Amino acid sequence: MSRISKTLKGPKKEEKEIPAEPAPTPSDREFLDTALRPAAWDEYVGQKNIKENLLILLTAASERSHPPEHLLFYGPPGLGKTTLAHLVARQCGAPIKVTSGAVIEKVGDLASILTNLSSGEVLFIDEIHRLNKTIEEVLYPAMESGFLDIVIGKGPSARTIQLELPAFTLVGATTRVALLSSPLRSRFSGGIFRLEYYSQDEIEEILRRSAKILGVKLEGTAVTEIAKRARSTPRTANYLLKRTRDYAQVRGRAVSVKLVREALLLLGIDEQGLSPADRKLLSLLAEKFGGGPVGLGTLAAALSEEEETIEEFHEPYLMQIGFIARTPRGRVLTARGLEHAGRRTLGI
Ligand code: ADP
């Protein structure tokens, strides 16, 4: 994924992306992550409280001529965690090294990353919950006191050497904050920030900016129509905009409300922004499991889907809009979810 991961030794684990639904192609991702990614704070819509807090923290650190303390961003995929990390680095006038918890497999991988940092550099570790315990333990002293303790040799002849690291800021991002050990969490002394879903107005603002960059003219209330189906998520909004643009181009038509409806219907995205996979989850809950409660493993098996994909991508939004709920005994369908699944009774 990153410049740094290419320098790591040993077999590289394939990084697993939690796809938007339907999954963006690699060229989509490339384009989204570069051209549409906000490069300045005023282009970064919403998350007002996080932005304000960060700006105070970053300004104070810069006035003290010191890199800011370590930061953690968490929340569902596509809400802008990576973008924030880049903005933090830009604000500090520092380079950023990007890597992922999934590719740091050995202590040597982390040591190579840390010892190659330049002074003041921002180290962004995406999906930081994937770091294993051994790596975490090496990371603690590095975050806390700027030292790297490495054990050389084995058994009675083993000795520890301590390397001093350049001052750096670690920015972690995760979709699964609960999986982070509490010692690791406590090392994010700069703050732990939870990103919220975006309002309809904010998504419309993001879409208008993206449409301008892409050179797409949105007629009438076409922007509202796309925003309604964007799952309150900027990445999804941009994805739907681009698919709508493709549809308009191929049909040789303008992007009107009618065209948006046609284009997104063809993708299987309904008025709530739910994909065929979301709807299948709801109808399975209603029909096969009598509305629940049902355990994640059972649900995943019935859907032929990874547990992780359900937990990280489908569930958060379905819970956000009140279609399903999580109980100690498993997932349950709510009355609203049931209505959406098109059932008046649970069929039991
Ligand atoms: P995450 O790291 O949380 O998965 P990203 O930062 O990669 O999300 O965001 C995905 C895309 O969504 C970005 O490339 C950008 O185009 C868009 N985006 C995210 N947050 C915002 C925002 N607050 N304002 C404008 N665009 C945003």
Side-chain angles (χ1 to χ4, degrees):
M1 156 189 183
S2 62
R3 284 177 291 148
I4 195 77
S5 59
K6 290 196 191 108
T7 69
L8 300 178
K9 294 199 184 88
K12 204 170 63 174
K13 205 200 268 176
E14 252 329 281
E15 204 186 327
K16 211 155 64 187
E17 294 276 354
I18 303 304
E21 225 4 276
T25 65
S27 63
D28 280 336
R29 191 164 295 284
E30 172 74 20
F31 194 75
L32 279 178
D33 287 354
T34 53
L36 300 184
R37 170 162 287 153
W41 290 104
D42 58 358
E43 294 173 3
Y44 191 90
V45 176
Q47 312 291 350
K48 196 163 165 275
N49 188 263
I50 297 183
K51 276 199 313 193
E52 274 175 19
N53 274 300
L54 283 179
L55 282 169
I56 300 267
L57 186 117
L58 298 178
T59 310
S62 120
E63 282 173 8
R64 292 193 300 266
S65 306
H66 200 274
E69 289 170 73
H70 310 299
L71 302 163
L72 180 68
F73 301 130
Y74 74 96
L79 292 193
K81 300 180 289 297
T82 307
T83 309
L84 274 181
H86 283 268
L87 288 173
V88 165
R90 192 174 279 247
Q91 178 77 19
C92 300
I96 181 168
K97 216 159 250 174
V98 179
T99 187
S100 162
V103 299
I104 305 176
E105 290 183 318
K106 291 176 289 185
V107 170
D109 297 338
L110 180 67
S112 136
I113 293 171
L114 292 175
T115 51
N116 281 304
L117 291 173
S118 56
S119 181
E121 190 154 3
V122 170
L123 172 63
F124 175 56
I125 307 186
D126 198 9
E127 298 302 301
I128 195 163
H129 61 269
R130 291 177 184 237
L131 291 177
N132 64 48
K133 280 271 162 306
T134 325
I135 310 257
E136 275 192 13
E137 273 159 26
V138 177
L139 199 52
Y140 300 152
M143 290 173 78
E144 221 162 40
S145 47
F147 285 104
L148 187 65
D149 294 319
I150 300 182
V151 181
I152 299 187
K154 276 188 182 153
S157 63
R159 62 199 171 89
T160 307
I161 56 162
Q162 201 171 56
L163 297 176
E164 191 173 351
L165 296 169
F168 71 101
T169 299
L170 176 65
V171 179
T174 179
T175 47
R176 311 276 301 274
V177 74
L179 296 187
L180 250 65
S181 68
S182 72
L184 180 57
R185 262 190 262 183
S186 68
R187 262 67 175 195
F188 288 98
S189 48
I192 298 183
F193 299 94
R194 173 197 152 123
L195 279 83
E196 301 292 343
Y197 279 110
Y198 291 68
S199 69
Q200 171 83 15
D201 283 352
E202 289 166 347
I203 292 288
E204 288 188 20
E205 194 180 335
I206 291 170
L207 280 168
R208 273 191 287 271
R209 172 179 172 272
S210 301
K212 212 165 154 188
I213 296 171
L214 297 174
V216 179
K217 192 170 171 300
L218 298 169
E219 288 194 341
T221 52
V223 69
T224 310
E225 209 56 30
I226 301 177
K228 272 200 308 205
R229 294 163 167 82
R231 309 172 75 95
S232 313
T233 304
R235 181 182 289 143
T236 310
N238 286 334
Y239 172 71
L240 297 183
L241 173 68
K242 292 174 72 201
R243 299 292 69 83
T244 305
R245 173 199 60 175
D246 289 351
Y247 188 86
Q249 181 187 318
V250 171
R251 294 276 187 266
R253 288 165 51 194
V255 183
S256 61
V257 171
K258 187 164 177 285
L259 179 123
V260 170
R261 286 189 186 142
E262 282 172 33
L264 300 188
L265 189 69
L266 192 63
L267 285 175
I269 309 287
D270 69 21
E271 293 219 334
Q272 295 274 352
L274 302 194
S275 65
D278 296 314
R279 290 194 296 276
K280 192 166 169 215
L281 190 152
L282 293 179
S283 64
L284 258 178
L285 260 176
E287 287 167 12
K288 200 163 172 189
F289 300 109
V294 56
L296 179 63
T298 314
L299 200 57
L303 277 167
S304 314
E305 193 64 92
E306 299 264 341
E307 287 184 22
E308 244 182 4
T309 309
I310 298 180
E311 258 193 319
E312 289 181 29
F313 186 73
H314 298 289
E315 269 188 359
Y317 185 67
L318 291 172
M319 285 198 283
Q320 161 79 7
I321 57 174
F323 279 15
I324 61 171
R326 231 187 246 178
T327 71
R329 290 174 52 223
R331 280 71 182 159
V332 292
L333 192 65
T334 64
R336 291 191 63 195
L338 181 64
E339 195 184 317
H340 195 81
R343 311 280 181 285
R344 254 174 300 167
T345 68
L346 291 178
I348 46 173

